[in-house]
């Protein structure tokens, strides 16, 4: 199923226009009107999905997210839901001249590389890096246990390595903490406490907050910089980062999945879930 995401400046107006043109795409929520639909959109990951929509002989789903909410997620990983999708190769069909959004898109890619570095060994191949990056937004997602193909990350990366290379080449070449041996397809990074501290300080704000909450005992209220310095010296630094990411993804994926029952309606939700289960079982069979 083809997946579209529309970033819009005014969600209420967008839904109002779409209800006039494509009312059948919506569940029973269409009777609540565009304002209430926009209010529901703002819960969880801040995106409203219409799914299992017939379009030119195939099925599509499309999500609507406010531009401001999207920029927040790209910069700070507030939910890592749409930001996670945009860490993988996608086709941008059209984009207006929004400098803040363009800068946020690049920042999101840099953050993905930084987080992946912290979870990887000192030396690794390009495919290992892209597997880590592609897996960020699935870390902690309960659907990876029930409802998603266990090989999903591998299936995203392996056929698309050239697209990942194109997406991340400039970032890797400009990164002072990595030796990028492009011809060999290998990378080496600085795993010293000083190197890891620099990377931790560059992580998105929400992830830093999650890491701080994991490490700092309640009531101590130490400075974020002090806590991240402690994590940088921890042999399990990568594991702490992964747990922080899982904390972000877990909560947003739970709320978004619950919201899907409303936005898709019971019948479509059941059909969509059955398709996911079939793909998951097919992955088990191939294993």
């Amino acid at each position: 199923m083809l997946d579209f995401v529309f970033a819009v400046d005014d969600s209420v107006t967008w839904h109002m226009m779409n209800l006039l043109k494509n009312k059948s795409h919506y569940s029973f929520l269409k009777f609540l009107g565009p304002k209430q639909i926009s209010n529901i959109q703002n819960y969880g990951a801040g995106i409203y999905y219409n799914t299992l929509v017939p379009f030119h002989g195939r099925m599509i789903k499309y999500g609507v997210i406010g531009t401001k909410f999207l920029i927040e997620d790209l910069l700070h990983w507030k939910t890592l839901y749409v930001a996670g999708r945009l860490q993988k190769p996608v086709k941008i069909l059209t984009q207006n001249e929004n400098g803040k959004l363009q800068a946020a898109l690049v920042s999101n890619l840099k953050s993905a590389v930084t987080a992946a570095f912290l979870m990887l060994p000192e030396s690794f191949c390009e495919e290992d890096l892209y597997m880590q990056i592609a897996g960020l937004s699935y870390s902690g997602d309960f659907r990876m246990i029930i409802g998603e193909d266990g090989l999903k990350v591998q299936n995203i990366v392996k056929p698309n390595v050239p697209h990942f290379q194109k997406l991340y080449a400039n970032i890797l070449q400009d990164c002072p903490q990595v030796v990028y041996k492009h011809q060999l397809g290998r990378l080496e990074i600085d795993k010293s406490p000083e190197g890891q501290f620099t990377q931790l300080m560059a992580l998105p704000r929400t992830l830093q907050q999650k890491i701080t909450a994991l490490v700092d005992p309640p009531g101590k209220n130490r400075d974020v910089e002090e806590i991240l310095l402690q994590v940088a010296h921890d042999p399990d630094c990568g594991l702490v980062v992964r747990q922080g990411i899982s904390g972000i993804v877990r909560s947003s994926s739970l709320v978004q999945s619950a919201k899907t029952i409303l936005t898709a309606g019971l019948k479509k939700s059941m059909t969509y879930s059955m398709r996911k289960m079939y793909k998951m079982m097919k992955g088990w069979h191939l294993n």
Side-chain angles (χ1 to χ4, degrees), residues 7 12 15 50 85 92 94 124 139 177-178 236 257 276 284:
V12 176
H15 285 296
N50 284 326
R85 280 161 168 72
I92 297 178
T94 181
F124 49 90
S139 180
Q177 289 187 304
V178 65
D236 293 325
S257 294
K276 289 282 187 183
W284 288 349

Side-chain angles (χ1 to χ4, degrees), residues 114 118 177 190-201 232:
T114 302
L118 285 160
Q177 289 187 304
D190 180 5
K191 296 299 285 187
S192 69
E194 294 77 18
Q196 294 195 137
F197 177 65
T198 302
Q199 291 161 5
L200 287 163
M201 289 296 291

Side-chain angles (χ1 to χ4, degrees), residues 149-164:
D149 181 0
L151 298 173
K152 183 163 188 170
V153 174
Q154 185 178 304
N155 292 340
I156 290 170
V157 174
K158 283 192 176 293
N160 292 298
V161 168
H163 297 295
F164 274 96

Side-chain angles (χ1 to χ4, degrees), residues 215-230:
V215 175
D216 202 34
K220 226 178 174 188
N221 296 323
R222 288 187 297 161
D223 185 71
V224 172
E225 196 170 324
E226 183 187 344
I227 296 164
L228 294 182
L229 185 60
Q230 177 190 328

Side-chain angles (χ1 to χ4, degrees), residues 160-176:
N160 292 298
V161 168
H163 297 295
F164 274 96
Q165 287 174 326
K166 186 178 179 182
L167 188 61
Y168 286 100
N170 289 340
I171 291 169
L172 293 174
Q173 284 164 1
D174 294 342
C175 180

Side-chain angles (χ1 to χ4, degrees), residues 218-262:
K220 226 178 174 188
N221 296 323
R222 288 187 297 161
D223 185 71
V224 172
E225 196 170 324
E226 183 187 344
I227 296 164
L228 294 182
L229 185 60
Q230 177 190 328
V231 175
H233 284 81
D234 191 331
D236 293 325
C237 174
L239 180 60
V240 175
V241 173
R242 190 180 300 280
Q243 288 173 339
I245 293 168
S246 295
I248 298 170
V249 174
R250 189 180 299 110
S251 55
S252 65
S253 65
L254 278 168
V255 176
Q256 193 64 30
S257 294
K259 196 167 81 173
T260 298
I261 299 170
L262 296 175

